[in-house]
Amino acid sequence: MKTLTNRQYYLASRPVGEPDTSNVPARDVPVPDPAPGEVVLRNLYISLDPAIRGWMGDDPNYIEPIALGDAVRSSVIGRVVQSNSPDYAPGDVAMTMGGWEQYTTVQGATLNKLDESAGIPLSLFLGVLGPTGLTAYFGLLEVGKPKAGETVLVSAAAGAVGSIVGQIAKMQGCRVVGMAGSDDKCRWLQDELGFDAVINYKTCGDYEAAIRKACPEGVDVYFDNVGGEILDAALLCLNKFARVAVCGWISTYNVPNAPGPTNLWQLVAESVTLQGFTVLDYLERFGEGIGQLAQWVMAGELKYREEIVDGLDNILPTFLRLFDGSNQGKLVMRLPEE
Ligand SMILES: NC(=O)c1ccc[n+]([C@@H]2O[C@H](COP(=O)([O-])OP(=O)(O)OC[C@H]3O[C@@H](n4cnc5c(N)ncnc54)[C@H](OP(=O)(O)O)[C@@H]3O)[C@@H](O)[C@H]2O)c1
């Protein structure tokens, strides 16, 4: 077999604050021949997710930290170019946990085969029909438990998870309020996704006052994507028996020793349930979730935005856009198929 060269971005040191090229440099390494059961994928899409920043550190997390020297971990979709597995042949397309690299070598048993003939753009399996869509679906319905007529507040509302949360909450008959970091994003939420009210958290001033104004009947479900001061303000606006679904705390990921929330007393004052979750808690039900999300997308009832960026050598600066809010929806890297 021809020896392939693999460009990789790997974890050389654990970042403190925002990762830079000293933490995540590039290297070119040969792709080893696949061992028994293994498959080599040429990556077509690499998912960029805020959680990757957590895996670069070594704090306890829901999966192991990325080992120093390993390619930065990401979900990938690729085409099989070499196979030593009876279940895969060159040309097949599959999704797996891979890395910031051109070629990913894994056991065939870890792959999920994707059917290109269905005509669904492959990148959607990293977004609305994949981990972020499923996070929104299970996190809102199983953790947030919204009821018709209730008010649902969502932060990072124009993002991959938040935009789906808001639309599913509307389908449940809720009043939906989104917080996002630009007027353009807020307009999209209100004009195209049907959010009832929006808050540009970068210009609104006092968060608590802005949430109270946008949620005159209080908040029954807060879907928390950001943590930090927005969570603290939301805690002050919760109704009796409200639920807080803690999905992620992106505002803290690049902040060493970020302070915790100070208004947790509200859990007692209003008998609130605050529950963290990961999408992996619902692994057994992924089929159900993808089926429902796909049905809504095909019926035009669930809209999504994805931003596809070309070129592996742009991967670190592109990843960092998740933290300055310049991404427009689900952020994905595309690699050329040669
Ligand atoms: N629990 C799980 O299983 C799970 C799975 C997937 C994702 N998540 C979490 O869900 C959240 C959203 O992830 P995503 O993939 O959907 O990303 P995303 O929302 O598409 O992109 C991240 C967005 O976060 C906002 N943001 C960044 N820094 C912020 C800050 N300091 N304060 C407030 N907002 C900030 C930005 O939007 P603005 O322009 O609005 O600032 C940015 O566009 C993250 O916390 C992530 O870790 C959890």
Side-chain angles (χ1 to χ4, degrees):
M1 274 185 253
K2 179 178 144 205
T3 301
L4 302 165
T5 300
N6 192 13
R7 168 139 291 213
Q8 290 183 320
Y9 283 80
Y10 68 101
L11 191 66
S13 56
R14 301 203 184 278
V16 177
E18 202 165 85
D20 62 27
T21 52
S22 72
N23 307 120
V24 185
R27 69 183 171 203
D28 294 317
V29 292
V31 177
D33 290 340
E38 281 188 343
V39 165
V40 180
L41 294 178
R42 182 170 176 102
N43 290 328
L44 304 174
Y45 296 99
I46 300 177
S47 183
L48 294 181
D49 297 286
I52 296 166
R53 176 61 188 86
W55 309 335
M56 288 179 181
D58 58 5
D59 286 342
N61 210 323
Y62 60 98
I63 54 174
E64 287 297 300
I66 301 165
L68 291 177
D70 280 3
V72 173
R73 186 193 295 139
S74 266
S75 297
V76 299
I77 291 173
R79 190 176 299 284
V80 175
V81 290
Q82 294 178 359
S83 176
N84 209 344
S85 155
D87 302 322
Y88 286 89
D92 287 345
V93 172
M95 179 168 161
T96 190
M97 194 54 92
W100 289 8
E101 56 189 358
Q102 283 173 302
Y103 295 96
T104 287
T105 302
V106 284
Q107 280 291 322
T110 71
L111 296 173
N112 285 317
K113 207 178 267 191
L114 299 177
D115 178 9
E116 275 185 297
S117 68
I120 299 171
L122 291 173
S123 57
L124 297 192
F125 293 105
L126 298 173
V128 63
L129 303 182
T132 55
L134 290 165
T135 300
Y137 178 81
F138 289 114
L140 178 70
L141 297 179
E142 300 297 331
V143 182
K145 295 186 168 61
K147 297 193 259 311
E150 289 189 327
T151 297
V152 175
L153 175 69
V154 192
S155 50
V161 173
S163 60
I164 305 301
V165 168
Q167 293 178 84
I168 298 176
K170 282 300 297 177
M171 291 181 204
Q172 307 305 305
C174 297
R175 181 169 189 279
V176 178
V177 178
M179 300 182 77
S182 76
D183 288 343
D184 272 356
K185 288 185 180 183
C186 285
R187 256 192 304 278
W188 180 63
L189 293 175
Q190 219 162 5
D191 297 350
E192 292 190 42
L193 303 194
F195 279 51
D196 296 284
V198 286
I199 299 168
N200 178 342
Y201 74 90
K202 288 190 178 159
T203 57
C204 70
D206 183 309
Y207 294 156
E208 184 193 342
I211 295 170
R212 283 194 192 285
K213 189 168 169 215
C215 306
E217 294 183 21
V219 174
D220 300 293
V221 177
Y222 173 46
F223 194 100
D224 183 18
N225 282 319
V226 303
E229 291 175 24
I230 293 178
L231 168 60
D232 252 329
L235 285 169
L236 296 174
C237 304
L238 297 176
N239 288 334
K240 194 84 183 164
F241 302 118
R243 284 80 64 203
V244 179
V246 181
C247 177
W249 278 7
I250 193 169
S251 73
T252 69
Y253 294 174
N254 285 318
V255 182
N257 304 315
T262 55
N263 292 329
L264 284 178
W265 174 249
Q266 292 306 305
L267 304 191
V268 179
E270 299 296 348
S271 307
V272 166
T273 304
L274 178 143
Q275 185 187 332
F277 71 96
T278 83
V279 67
L280 297 176
D281 301 340
Y282 301 93
L283 198 56
E284 314 265 288
R285 292 177 57 196
F286 276 13
E288 166 206 326
I290 292 170
Q292 179 61 83
L293 291 160
Q295 192 184 317
W296 284 331
V297 168
M298 284 189 290
E301 291 166 25
L302 189 62
K303 297 182 181 156
Y304 60 88
R305 254 185 189 168
E306 61 175 353
E307 185 174 351
I308 297 182
V309 179
D310 286 305
L312 184 64
D313 289 329
N314 292 324
I315 199 155
L316 182 60
T318 304
F319 173 67
L320 293 177
R321 292 179 47 205
L322 290 165
F323 301 93
D324 68 18
S326 58
N327 65 305
Q328 305 290 329
K330 176 69 199 119
L331 190 59
V332 176
M333 291 298 305
R334 177 168 53 198
L335 277 59
E337 186 162 13
E338 286 171 1

